[in-house]
Amino acid sequence: AGVNSLVVQANCHKVVKLSGVLQEFVPGGEVVENVHGIREVFLKEGLRRATTKKALNKEKYADRRGVYFIGKLLWAKGFDLLLELETYYRHKTGEHFDIDIYGSGPDEEEIKRAFNGGLSEEGNGGILYSFMGSSRQQQPLPVNFMGRLDHSKLAGDFYSVFVNPSLTEVLCTTTAEAIAMGKWVVIPSHPSNAFFEQFPNCLMYRSRRGFVSQLKTALENDPPPL
């Protein structure tokens, strides 16, 4: 890290970083700017929602929450946090929240086992899920693992809430795509998410209690048009 800083300071007059979570190279000589892009299909979906202002057909989708996550199935993507949030949500409201999970990855089987009732001692890098005095999730959660899918296929009014508890991103592409599509995005307050806070359909939380409040807001209201 020290060598990197010396090289950058010797050759750059300004450092543009994608987010504040990246290493500091030039103290006082850095700026954080979103130089990331998304495909046009996501922007077109956001425009469709904004121009039609079409509300989610709650009668048609009465048996669904319309909540989803899409990304690689790795513990590092925050699935341990999602387990914790599911349990706390039930603790505060009396029920879990339904969520469809899209993606695949090396931790897929372990993650599925954890959400379906239990996590082995070796799971999650040796870290047992622990909350409310229990070291093991016993009750299967209302989670559907849907397999891999291009995010653009989830355009439309069926899903209106994207939940992403990850704290290991630099700037999450799927979060940017969901915001562009005009969906609610429920994410933690974290330097990697600072860019998204400016958008009216971004609901940030700073605690488990805050997550419950923000998710209830998303479930009870249509996202504002961008």
Side-chain angles (χ1 to χ4, degrees), residues 52-127:
T52 63
K53 298 182 180 180
K54 182 179 178 181
L56 180 67
N57 188 328
K58 293 179 173 63
E59 182 178 351
K60 181 178 179 181
Y61 300 135
D63 61 334
R64 302 299 297 272
R65 294 288 188 180
V67 181
Y68 76 102
F69 167 86
I70 187 167
K72 201 159 190 179
L73 297 191
L74 294 168
W75 283 113
K77 293 294 185 180
F79 284 98
D80 55 336
L81 300 174
L82 187 58
L83 280 168
E84 200 170 290
L85 293 171
E86 277 277 12
T87 301
Y88 190 79
Y89 189 88
R90 182 176 185 273
H91 171 64
K92 299 302 290 186
T93 70
E95 62 181 3
H96 294 108
F97 60 90
D98 298 327
I99 183 169
D100 289 348
I101 294 177
Y102 289 87
S104 62
D107 296 336
E108 181 172 351
E109 293 307 314
E110 278 188 2
I111 290 170
K112 285 180 176 179
R113 283 199 300 271
F115 280 88
N116 286 326
L119 184 62
S120 68
E121 295 285 342
E122 294 77 23
N124 194 11
I127 301 174

Side-chain angles (χ1 to χ4, degrees), residues 125-166:
I127 301 174
L128 278 176
Y129 165 62
S130 178
F131 179 67
M132 300 296 288
S134 173
S135 64
R136 195 177 297 272
Q137 175 68 31
Q138 297 292 341
Q139 181 180 355
L141 300 174
V143 174
N144 301 301
F145 289 90
M146 311 296 287
R148 294 178 63 182
L149 190 72
D150 188 288
H151 199 178
S152 64
K153 302 298 184 183
L154 301 181
D157 296 318
F158 185 74
Y159 291 110
S160 62
V161 185
F162 174 73
V163 170
N164 185 6
S166 177

Side-chain angles (χ1 to χ4, degrees), residues 177-191:
E177 292 168 349
I179 283 180
M181 286 194 285
K183 300 179 185 295
W184 284 121
V185 168
V186 182
I187 54 177
S189 178
H190 186 261

